[in-house]
Amino acid sequence: MTTVLKLGGSVVTVKDEPETVDDERLAAAADAVVAAEDDLVVIHGGGSFGHHHAAEHGVSTTDGTHDAGAVQAIHGAMARLNARIVAELTERGVPAVPIHPFSAGARTGDGTLKFPPEQIRTALGEGFVPVLHGDLVVQAGEGATVLSGDELVVELASALGADRIGVCSTVPGVLDGDGAVIERIDDIRDVADALGASDATDVSGGMAGKVRTLLALSAPAQIFGPDALAEFLAGGTPGTTVGDGG
Amino acid sequence: MTTVLKLGGSVVTVKDEPETVDDERLAAAADAVVAAEDDLVVIHGGGSFGHHHAAEHGVSTTDGTHDAGAVQAIHGAMARLNARIVAELTERGVPAVPIHPFSAGARTGDGTLKFPPEQIRTALGEGFVPVLHGDLVVQAGEGATVLSGDELVVELASALGADRIGVCSTVPGVLDGDGAVIERIDDIRDVADALGASDATDVSGGMAGKVRTLLALSAPAQIFGPDALAEFLAGGTPGTTVGDGG
């Protein structure tokens, strides 16, 4: 069994304080990972490490930079957060190893991500827990653009044929209009109103886009909050179940 | 024109002092790189950063480790040296970006290196100078093994179809029995005596092995010392010329 786990940047960092880890939440997340039994790939977001650097330099998933200093500022901050998370896991006996997407992937001129996964597959086979992160990648014609943790989740879950996908963010699941967790989503149309995803051109990167891309995968995904991480890693299906692998 | 430049670990670090950069030599090397006109890929060795960690943990190009702590010690030291070199280049206006081989490559069970080069090709196309380093890579059945800077030079020169290859070490070229620089080597048998490469099973990783693998490439390689780096990057052919692309 291979599980791809996304740890939202907002779960492990303090949102409004640049480059500040939320020590307590990171420790709790790392504690939960110790108990995981499946082959596990961890992907974390940028939170207060990546986003403000990217915004400062005007870099997004589509607008790139050719400024190597900007690349180092953004990528360097993400690598520092990655090192911190890898260290927390290692301290607890998790055989975590860092994989930096900037070193591995690239986009073609039309934005298509090419991310050869053999190093991750091999690492899993050897018992390591690869820890990746939202990052920059080089893109033909654009310099370097943002590769979000969410895009990486979809890419790797598909490339590795993951059996389970977990997206841990600060909300307990996908919420309906009344703020209650939707138990299951099999079709984006069923929740279009609640998510404000009324047309097919949603590019917000918000929950609607997240659900849409997770629905396209051939394995079920769970969207849940930090308190349910241990339950998910123990094989449970907390929060919202997106798709059924059908 | 694409040039692959290897900067020997001993050129930029102080050999006998763990994790110590040779500031003066690194500055001189970085100054020389500023003037390079070709598309340039830089690969540096480990010197006093990588080797003692690898030796301490008993990790080599064939004997691996499954200890994530050892991976982090060895890879982490190399990444620190890489960050230092990238910073020296960036300070001088070279658009250097770090590429960590552990994030990108893997070996199959028989030790064959798989290193998809699309991120490096794209980075070159966008005007960046990718800076790689000797590192570990995951290997099926072995955990993580050493990937030397020399092996990476050969791998990337071939994959990128490099026009020129430069190997800058602490000696001014391949030396004959009298200590004089051999101007040109087209066949390993011509220098077998001088290099002590009397049979085909040389695995020393020393000069004989270096020459042998460079001869197998379809572009000429120069082996030269630090003083000749600027000359090489200006298009010159200092030191020993290995192979002729024929």
Side-chain angles (χ1 to χ4, degrees):
Chain A
M1 290 279 283
T2 298
T3 295
V4 171
L5 171 67
K6 162 86 190 295
L7 276 179
S10 54
V11 174
V12 291
T13 70
V14 181
K15 195 180 175 185
D16 298 324
E17 293 178 36
E19 299 204 23
T20 305
V21 166
D22 186 325
D23 295 318
E24 203 174 316
R25 270 182 152 169
L26 175 54
D31 286 343
V33 169
V34 174
E37 289 184 10
D38 297 344
D39 290 348
L40 185 65
V41 177
V42 176
I43 300 165
H44 62 84
S48 66
F49 281 70
H51 294 177
H52 78 278
H53 285 293
E56 188 184 321
H57 292 282
V59 181
S60 70
T61 54
T62 52
D63 291 323
T65 181
H66 287 89
D67 175 359
V71 170
Q72 284 166 50
I74 302 166
H75 168 73
M78 290 305 304
R80 282 191 291 279
L81 175 57
N82 182 258
R84 179 65 195 280
I85 293 175
V86 167
E88 289 286 332
L89 290 170
T90 313
E91 275 174 26
R92 290 165 173 77
V94 176
V97 292
I99 302 282
H100 305 295
F102 185 82
S103 294
R107 293 189 199 277
T108 59
D110 66 2
T112 304
L113 178 66
K114 302 290 180 185
F115 201 95
E118 202 52 37
Q119 77 289 46
I120 297 168
R121 202 175 280 134
T122 304
L124 288 172
E126 296 303 301
F128 293 119
V129 174
V131 183
L132 297 92
H133 52 88
D135 201 353
L136 298 178
V137 285
V138 286
Q139 175 169 342
E142 283 289 337
T145 53
V146 169
L147 170 61
S148 74
D150 284 339
E151 186 177 354
L152 205 47
V153 165
V154 171
E155 176 74 19
L156 291 183
S158 175
L160 299 172
D163 303 286
R164 304 177 73 224
I165 299 140
V167 177
C168 179
S169 69
T170 48
V171 288
V174 182
L175 306 182
D176 67 17
D178 299 323
V181 172
I182 300 173
E183 198 175 321
R184 156 160 229 109
I185 302 174
D186 288 313
D187 190 319
I188 191 74
R189 288 169 296 189
D190 298 343
V191 291
D193 288 348
L195 299 181
S198 53
D199 62 49
T201 59
D202 171 77
V203 290
S204 68
M207 194 58 95
K210 205 172 285 200
V211 168
R212 200 188 300 276
T213 53
L214 292 174
L215 275 170
L217 292 173
S218 60
Q222 305 299 134
I223 298 178
F224 53 86
D227 294 343
L229 180 55
E231 181 188 348
F232 170 75
L233 290 171
T237 56
T240 302
T241 302
V242 179
D244 60 358
Chain B
M1 290 276 283
T2 299
T3 295
V4 171
L5 170 67
K6 162 85 190 294
L7 276 179
S10 53
V11 174
V12 291
T13 70
V14 181
K15 196 180 174 186
D16 298 325
E17 293 178 36
E19 300 203 22
T20 306
V21 166
D22 186 326
D23 295 317
E24 203 174 316
R25 273 183 150 169
L26 175 55
D31 285 343
V33 169
V34 173
E37 289 184 9
D38 298 342
D39 289 347
L40 185 65
V41 177
V42 177
I43 299 167
H44 62 82
S48 65
F49 281 70
H51 295 177
H52 78 279
H53 285 294
E56 187 184 322
H57 291 283
V59 181
S60 70
T61 54
T62 51
D63 291 322
T65 181
H66 286 90
D67 176 359
V71 171
Q72 284 167 50
I74 302 166
H75 169 74
M78 291 304 306
R80 283 191 290 278
L81 175 57
N82 181 258
R84 179 65 194 281
I85 293 174
V86 167
E88 289 286 331
L89 291 170
T90 313
E91 276 174 25
R92 290 163 174 79
V94 175
V97 292
I99 302 282
H100 305 295
F102 185 82
S103 294
R107 293 190 199 278
T108 59
D110 66 2
T112 305
L113 179 65
K114 302 291 181 185
F115 201 96
E118 202 52 38
Q119 78 288 44
I120 297 169
R121 202 175 280 133
T122 304
L124 288 172
E126 296 302 303
F128 293 119
V129 174
V131 183
L132 296 91
H133 53 87
D135 201 354
L136 298 178
V137 283
V138 286
Q139 175 170 342
E142 283 289 337
T145 53
V146 169
L147 170 62
S148 74
D150 284 338
E151 186 178 354
L152 205 47
V153 166
V154 172
E155 175 75 19
L156 290 183
S158 175
L160 300 171
D163 303 287
R164 303 177 74 225
I165 298 140
V167 176
C168 179
S169 68
T170 49
V171 288
V174 181
L175 306 182
D176 67 16
D178 299 322
V181 172
I182 301 171
E183 198 174 319
R184 156 160 227 109
I185 301 174
D186 288 313
D187 190 317
I188 190 75
R189 287 168 297 187
D190 299 343
V191 292
D193 288 348
L195 299 181
S198 53
D199 62 48
T201 59
D202 172 76
V203 291
S204 68
M207 195 57 95
K210 206 172 284 201
V211 169
R212 200 188 300 276
T213 52
L214 292 174
L215 276 169
L217 292 173
S218 59
Q222 304 300 132
I223 298 179
F224 52 86
D227 294 343
L229 180 55
E231 181 187 349
F232 170 76
L233 290 172
T237 56
T240 302
T241 303
V242 179
D244 59 357

